[in-house]
């Protein structure tokens, strides 16, 4: 065979009639076909497997294996799937034609064969089969490429939201093409819950703007934790330029995401401790600064340097040094997570505490949304405590402490650099003070914290040393000036600190919980004093005792009060509890119940500093109140200040309407008193009559007034 002949198309003819082969040879060879002949089905199938023809002609009627069986067996062979097969039927009857197609024939031709027409038909069939073959090859290449790139293509009609997915998308989404109903809703079910909205919005945006877009999301397919895909959307327009569908690609980018995360981790996290590194910390700091500026909040930067780390490194080696750094990081992170301060921060979604390692043995801690600068000192003290818990590393005895510098935004700096620098300077000063010290950048803060620590340590003995006192300030009838009651105000005569007014220790006691014991003492002392005056026949005065909200929330508050009343066997009618608006605003069922209990017990309830808080009519109606105490700030400038005049008048009218008793606080002059009397204020309290006095002095004041009254009535 000449070489050029190999490229000529090869026709396999399977027919039991030898004349057909003769005619074929005559006509087809001339027309440029090569021929190979078989006289029955078995022979035809065997030849097909060895010579790979371009087209096959099969006679339907043959002895042995008939044409239909031969055709369907060829179709099942590896090369037989797409080969063009032409069935040759004796007569043109519909049943045989149908059977031919069922057996897998491409077409049929009727005997007697018109060889001239057949030639053209064969040429056309071979050409079409070649194109089909090429298409299949390129499809298989495409699907291989998609598989390698983990990328598939999709299409969606916007008429019915039905999807067409390539095999690779089915693989990425782990779905079976036969059972998956390819609809947009079914696709959405496979998207991670947290990303569903993002995907819906992306599709809506694409449809609205008719512009391509690309976005990432996670899948929810059970078998893997986080499978990320990147989806592209493009538009399909019809000839009239109307949008008919969307198309695009979906690529599995999970590996890329993992790599990105690794790269980010390397760039932003410290290798030894896994804490944020300097670059990351500066980002966090910048964000904290922006937030604090916007919300006008405080935050603190703590700069910590381990004491004696170099010596540890030198004597135990770098490996132990690294382990120590890890332990320090773990202790601080864990401690902050557990501490009260941390839980207070976690109440606010913007608050957070971040710990970072800047390098070497330097760590930084960022305290966002600080309530007060002093809290930073509490955190620093806690850190020192947690570091003290480290006693051994890798069986080496180690004692570790740190020097901590604290800078507060905004007072210690207005930008990241300045805050970090000042925290560093403060740390340097702490270092000079010795091991394990903390220092604020601002000296005033250091003094404040020292004073606070001193007060706190002395508080422990205040009760046992009997250092608390109640001072009494008269409450007088506004019109007559006659004393009707007293407010009991706490003082602390500390052996170490001297005389302290309430503002110097009550807010602190409220923070550290001492107020519970102090408050209980005040109630007991007022009852004891009342009992004593009763025994001495002094007459009857109400005594107002101030309550703090934490005290009020304590579980056994009511039984405790009852126990004190029982202890002194006093009639509870003399006792007034002054409540702050904060207590009332808590407005929980617990508060409502407790107030009614106190009322049932016979204790009077008064709202202190009325007007400065969130005074609301609703609580005045809801709670069983007896008295409103108008805050000093409104009384101070009456009758000159018209705004204050209006407010005080309104409060008095409101109280009269609700049948509440009124006391004006901080009355210092006659004009104020006159105004209050003219506007039906019941009682007043203030320096015009007397300051808060120690008990003996108060008793004299009271007695003197009673004596005066007696002599007046006796006409002396
Ligand atoms: P408060 O209950 O509003 O007490 C009135 C405050 O106003 C007292 O201050 C009193 O000395 C002052 N004051 C009275 N009249 C005048 C006046 O004419 N002019 C001026 N400028 N001031 C006047 P103090 O005794 O320093 O008490 C301050 C606050 O400390 C009290 O305000 C109260 O909230 C709290 N406090 C005092 N004792 C206790 C206590 O036993 N328990 C609790 N939880 N808080 C207490
Ligand atoms: Mg008060
Ligand atoms: Mg008050």
């Amino acid at each position: 065979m000449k070489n050029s002949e190999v490229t000529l198309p090869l026709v396999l003819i399977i027919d039991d009639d030898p004349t057909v082969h003769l005619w074929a040879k005559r006509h087809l060879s001339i027309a440029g076909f090569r021929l190979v002949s078989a006289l029955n089905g078995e022979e035809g199938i065997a030849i097909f497997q060895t010579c790979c023809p371009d087209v096959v002609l099969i006679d339907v009627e043959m002895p042995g294996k008939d044409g239909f069986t031969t055709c369907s067996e060829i179709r099942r062979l590896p090369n037989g799937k797409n080969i063009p097969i032409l069935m040759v039927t004796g007569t043109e009857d519909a049943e045989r034609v149908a059977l031919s197609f069922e057996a897998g024939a491409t077409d049929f031709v009727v005997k007697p064969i018109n060889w001239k027409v057949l030639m053209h038909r064969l040429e056309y069939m071979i050409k079409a089969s070649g194109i089909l073959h090429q298409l299949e090859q390129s499809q298989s290449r495409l699907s291989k490429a998609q598989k390698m790139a983990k990328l598939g293509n999709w299409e969606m009609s916007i008429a019915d939201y039905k999807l067409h997915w390539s095999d690779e998308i089915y693989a990425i989404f782990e779905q079976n093409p036969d059972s998956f109903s390819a609809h947009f809703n079914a696709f959405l079910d496979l998207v991670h819950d947290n990303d569903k909205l993002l995907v819906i919005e992306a599709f809506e945006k694409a449809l609205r703007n008719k512009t391509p877009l690309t976005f990432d999301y996670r899948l929810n397919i059970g078998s893997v934790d986080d499978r990320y895909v990147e989806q592209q959307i493009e538009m399909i327009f019809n000839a009239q330029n109307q949008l008919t569908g969307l198309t695009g690609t979906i690529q599995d980018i999970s590996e890329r995401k993992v790599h990105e995360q690794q790269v980010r981790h390397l760039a932003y996290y410290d290798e030894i401790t896994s804490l944020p590194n300097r670059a990351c910390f500066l980002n966090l700091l910048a964000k904290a600064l922006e937030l604090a500026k916007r919300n006008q909040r405080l935050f603190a930067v703590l700069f910590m340097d381990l004491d004696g780390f170099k010596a540890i490194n030198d004597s135990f080696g770098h490996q132990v040094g690294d382990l120590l750094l890890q332990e320090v990081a773990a202790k601080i992170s864990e401690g902050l997570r557990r501490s009260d301060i941390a839980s207070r921060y976690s109440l606010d979604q913007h608050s957070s505490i971040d710990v970072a390692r800047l390098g070497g043995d330097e760590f930084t801690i960022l305290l966002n949304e600080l309530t007060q600068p002093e809290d930073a000192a509490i955190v620093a003290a806690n850190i020192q405590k947690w570091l003290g818990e480290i006693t051994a590393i890798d069986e080496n005895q180690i004692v570790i402490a740190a020097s901590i510098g604290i800078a507060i935004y905004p007072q210690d700096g207005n930008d990241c650099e300045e805050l970090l620098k000042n925290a560093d300077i403060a740390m340097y000063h702490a270092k000079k003070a010795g091991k394990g010290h903390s220092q604020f950048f601002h000296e005033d803060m250091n003094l404040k914290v020292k004073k606070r620590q001193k007060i706190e340590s002395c508080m422990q003995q205040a009760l046992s040393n009997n250092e608390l006192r109640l001072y009494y300030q008269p409450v007088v009838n506004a019109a007559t000036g006659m004393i009707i009651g007293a407010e009991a105000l706490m003082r602390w005569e500390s052996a170490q600190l001297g005389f302290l007014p309430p503002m110097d220790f009550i807010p602190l006691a409220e923070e550290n919980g001492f107020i519970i014991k102090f408050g209980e003492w005040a109630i007991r002392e007022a009852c004891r004093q009342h009992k004593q005056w009763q025994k001495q026949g002094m007459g009857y005065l109400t005594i107002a005792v101030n309550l703090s909200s934490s005290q009020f929330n304590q579980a056994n508050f009511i039984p405790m009060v009852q126990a004190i009343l029982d202890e002194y066997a006093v009639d509870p009618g003399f006792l007034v509890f002054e409540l702050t608006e904060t207590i009332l605003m808590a407005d929980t069922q617990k508060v409502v119940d407790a107030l009614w209990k106190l009322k049932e017990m016979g204790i009077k309830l008064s709202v202190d500093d009325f007007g400065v808080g969130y005074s609301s009519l609703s609580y005045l109606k809801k709670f069983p109140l007896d008295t409103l105490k108008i805050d000093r700030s409104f009384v101070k400038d009456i009758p000159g200040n018209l705004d204050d005049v209006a407010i005080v008048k309104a409060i008095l009218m409101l109280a009269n309407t609700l049948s509440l008793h009124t006391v004006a606080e901080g009355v210092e002059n006659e004009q104020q008193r006159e105004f209050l009397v003219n506007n039906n204020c019941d009682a007043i309290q203030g320096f015009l009559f007397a300051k808060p006095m120690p008990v003996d002095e108060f008793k004299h004041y009271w007695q003197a007034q009673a004596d005066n009254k007696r002599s007046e009535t006796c006409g002396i």
Side-chain angles (χ1 to χ4, degrees):
M1 203 187 295
K2 278 184 268 166
N3 236 357
S4 61
E5 279 185 3
V6 177
T7 57
L8 296 176
L10 180 63
V11 185
L12 166 61
I13 300 175
I14 309 172
D15 201 317
D16 59 326
D17 182 354
T19 56
V20 170
H21 293 282
L22 277 174
W23 284 112
K25 194 161 187 177
R26 186 159 167 201
H27 292 282
L28 299 182
S29 300
I30 297 166
F33 290 95
R34 286 181 296 135
L35 291 184
V36 52
S37 304
L39 289 168
N40 56 53
E42 280 85 2
E43 193 188 359
I45 291 168
I47 292 175
F48 180 88
Q49 282 167 289
T50 53
C51 70
C52 300
D54 295 299
V55 62
V56 184
L57 249 78
I58 308 175
D59 186 16
V60 169
E61 278 173 55
M62 288 186 289
K65 222 184 261 288
D66 68 7
F68 304 120
T69 320
T70 309
C71 175
S72 54
E73 282 185 18
I74 288 178
R75 276 281 177 252
R76 285 198 293 272
L77 292 173
N79 290 335
K81 203 169 133 229
N82 293 320
I83 191 85
I85 299 177
L86 200 59
M87 299 299 277
V88 184
T89 58
T91 50
E92 192 178 353
D93 81 77
E95 200 192 330
R96 278 160 190 269
V97 171
L99 283 172
S100 298
F101 284 122
E102 255 169 51
T106 316
D107 208 347
F108 68 96
V109 59
V110 184
K111 279 184 181 174
I113 295 171
N114 179 338
W115 291 99
K116 287 224 167 84
V117 173
L118 182 70
M119 263 160 30
H120 293 296
R121 204 131 160 214
L122 290 179
E123 263 170 19
Y124 170 78
M125 285 175 82
I126 292 168
K127 205 165 158 189
S129 135
I131 292 171
L132 198 71
H133 183 62
Q134 277 172 9
L135 191 69
E136 271 195 346
Q137 272 188 329
S138 71
Q139 247 173 2
S140 127
R141 274 198 296 270
L142 179 68
S143 112
K144 267 187 204 147
Q146 290 200 346
K147 204 165 179 174
M148 281 193 284
K150 293 191 178 173
L151 176 143
N153 59 300
W154 60 274
E155 238 181 79
M156 186 180 83
S157 143
I158 57 172
D160 53 11
Y161 281 64
K162 279 203 174 131
L163 290 163
H164 169 82
W165 279 358
S166 73
D167 290 347
E168 192 50 29
I169 296 192
Y170 280 104
I172 294 170
F173 282 70
E174 293 185 7
Q175 296 303 311
N176 182 345
D178 299 329
S179 54
F180 182 72
S181 92
H183 187 272
F184 185 73
N185 290 341
F187 150 71
L188 263 190
D189 284 343
L190 301 172
V191 174
H192 196 287
D193 281 350
N194 294 350
D195 290 349
K196 277 194 172 59
L197 197 64
L198 178 150
V199 171
I200 293 170
E201 281 173 356
F203 272 85
E204 281 174 355
K205 191 173 169 197
L207 287 170
R208 195 172 51 244
N209 299 347
K210 297 185 181 145
T211 45
L213 62 93
T214 304
F215 57 102
D216 297 353
Y217 55 89
R218 280 163 299 167
L219 300 185
N220 176 24
I221 47 176
S223 79
V224 274
D225 275 352
D226 269 333
R227 177 163 293 178
Y228 281 88
V229 294
E230 181 183 273
Q231 177 148 12
Q232 281 189 323
I233 305 185
E234 302 227 358
M235 315 297 123
I236 303 173
F237 295 102
N238 65 10
Q240 287 75 43
N241 209 23
Q242 290 160 328
L243 186 67
T244 57
L246 300 175
T247 183
T249 56
I250 291 179
Q251 186 171 23
D252 183 344
I253 54 164
S254 313
E255 276 177 36
R256 190 169 93 200
K257 285 276 176 192
V258 170
H259 289 145
E260 276 173 11
Q261 270 162 10
Q262 283 169 344
V263 168
R264 199 173 323 126
H265 202 267
L266 282 176
Y268 283 103
Y269 290 85
D270 168 44
E271 235 182 304
I272 293 177
T273 61
S274 288
L275 289 178
N277 63 11
R278 176 184 286 270
C280 183
F281 180 75
L282 289 175
N283 273 345
L284 294 168
L285 185 55
K287 275 192 202 129
L289 188 73
E290 195 189 308
L291 208 70
K293 274 189 178 164
R294 196 176 332 131
N295 301 337
Q296 296 188 320
R297 295 292 176 87
L298 301 176
F299 73 88
V301 179
L302 274 62
F303 197 110
M304 179 179 108
D305 187 287
L306 299 181
D307 295 327
F309 180 71
K310 193 176 171 308
I312 292 171
N313 239 352
D314 291 348
S315 41
F316 298 104
H318 286 275
Q319 215 177 340
V320 171
D322 286 356
L323 286 175
L324 176 62
L325 293 173
Q326 282 167 4
E327 185 66 17
V328 166
K331 277 272 178 222
I332 299 178
S333 309
E334 197 206 313
L336 286 173
R337 248 196 319 276
R338 277 190 288 114
S339 71
D340 289 354
I341 293 257
S343 63
R344 192 189 315 165
Y345 282 126
S346 61
L347 293 177
D348 189 316
Q349 54 163 338
H350 299 301
S351 340
S352 63
I353 303 181
D354 295 300
V355 188
R357 178 176 170 237
L358 288 205
D361 59 344
E362 288 175 349
F363 292 81
T364 42
I365 295 110
L366 186 63
L367 298 179
N368 275 308
E369 299 274 328
L370 209 58
T371 329
Q372 50 183 0
E374 290 93 316
D375 284 351
I378 298 175
V379 173
N382 278 333
I383 291 175
Q384 304 282 16
K385 196 178 83 196
W386 300 324
L387 294 183
E389 291 166 9
I390 303 176
T391 50
I393 297 287
D394 215 10
E395 293 173 356
N396 299 295
Q397 299 289 313
I398 279 172
V399 179
I400 190 82
S403 301
I404 303 176
I406 306 168
I408 304 286
Y409 169 84
Q411 63 211 49
D412 299 338
N414 223 353
D415 60 49
C416 298
E417 236 172 74
E418 200 182 358
L419 282 164
L420 200 58
K421 190 189 79 198
N422 290 345
D424 191 2
I425 292 174
M427 185 280 292
Y428 177 74
H429 286 295
K431 210 129 263 149
K432 281 208 298 193
K435 283 189 173 190
H437 273 80
S438 309
Q439 285 262 324
F440 279 92
F441 173 71
H442 212 276
E443 197 43 39
D444 284 0
M445 276 311 304
N446 289 325
L447 294 176
K448 226 171 157 181
V449 167
K450 271 206 192 101
K451 191 173 164 199
R452 185 191 154 105
Q453 283 166 347
K454 180 96 181 130
I455 296 175
E456 235 171 353
S457 77
C458 292
M459 253 180 204
Q460 323 261 1
Q461 293 98 46
L463 276 173
S464 54
N465 286 359
N466 200 19
E467 293 176 346
L468 295 184
R469 307 278 175 265
L470 282 186
Y471 274 38
Y472 295 87
Q473 184 178 29
V475 178
V476 303
N477 178 305
T480 64
M482 290 307 290
I483 181 165
I484 52 172
E487 177 170 8
L489 294 154
M490 201 183 286
R491 303 289 182 261
W492 180 11
E493 283 177 17
S494 163
Q496 292 188 52
L497 304 164
F499 182 87
L500 295 178
M503 278 311 143
D504 285 5
F505 66 95
I506 287 199
L508 186 57
E510 280 172 343
E511 267 175 50
N512 60 23
F514 270 98
I515 194 70
I516 305 279
K517 287 280 160 224
F518 284 15
E520 184 178 340
W521 174 86
I523 298 170
R524 175 170 285 109
E525 176 58 17
C527 288
R528 191 198 60 76
Q529 191 59 65
H530 170 76
K531 183 77 183 175
Q532 193 179 18
W533 283 334
Q534 293 292 290
K535 278 189 191 154
Q536 294 170 349
M538 288 286 299
Y540 189 87
L541 287 187
T542 57
I543 302 182
V545 176
N546 292 280
L547 292 187
S548 285
S549 55
S550 48
Q551 212 184 329
F552 195 80
N553 285 331
Q554 93 192 76
N556 66 342
F557 180 70
I558 304 280
M560 180 271 285
V561 174
Q562 187 61 58
I564 293 174
L565 291 172
D566 294 346
E567 185 183 333
Y568 290 101
V570 284
D571 168 14
F574 85 95
L575 191 58
V576 181
F577 280 156
E578 291 198 2
L579 313 163
T580 61
E581 286 180 87
T582 341
I583 297 178
L584 300 174
M585 288 313 290
D587 192 15
T588 55
Q589 196 51 42
K590 215 169 97 192
V591 173
V592 180
D593 291 349
L595 289 176
W596 278 102
K597 273 262 165 56
L598 292 171
K599 183 81 190 166
E600 279 161 22
M601 284 159 67
I603 295 168
K604 296 201 176 63
L605 302 173
S606 165
V607 186
D608 205 355
D609 307 335
F610 185 75
V612 292
Y614 305 91
S615 319
S616 96
L617 257 183
S618 66
Y619 77 63
L620 290 184
K621 278 169 62 185
K622 194 172 330 170
F623 301 121
L625 303 169
D626 299 283
T627 306
L628 290 190
K629 289 191 81 173
I630 305 169
D631 190 64
R632 187 164 69 87
S633 57
F634 302 115
V635 174
K636 200 163 54 89
D637 295 326
I638 51 171
N641 183 316
L642 294 183
D643 288 340
D644 289 346
V645 163
I647 292 171
V648 173
K649 274 187 177 174
I651 296 175
L652 289 170
M653 262 161 59
L654 179 73
N656 284 338
T657 320
L658 295 171
S659 306
L660 292 171
H661 186 70
T662 45
V663 180
E665 292 187 277
V667 179
E668 293 185 349
N669 57 49
E670 191 47 38
Q671 292 94 311
Q672 292 167 341
R673 190 190 71 87
E674 214 178 289
F675 173 87
L676 290 161
V677 171
N678 291 340
N679 285 282
N680 300 321
C681 179
D682 301 317
I684 51 186
Q685 177 184 344
F687 295 171
L688 176 65
F689 295 93
K691 291 193 170 172
M693 295 170 273
V695 64
D696 291 342
E697 215 176 294
F698 175 79
K699 200 174 155 192
H700 282 131
Y701 177 92
W702 182 13
Q703 239 164 3
Q705 203 185 53
D707 292 347
N708 273 347
K709 179 92 199 280
R710 227 171 291 130
S711 37
E712 269 171 30
T713 44
C714 298
I716 303 168

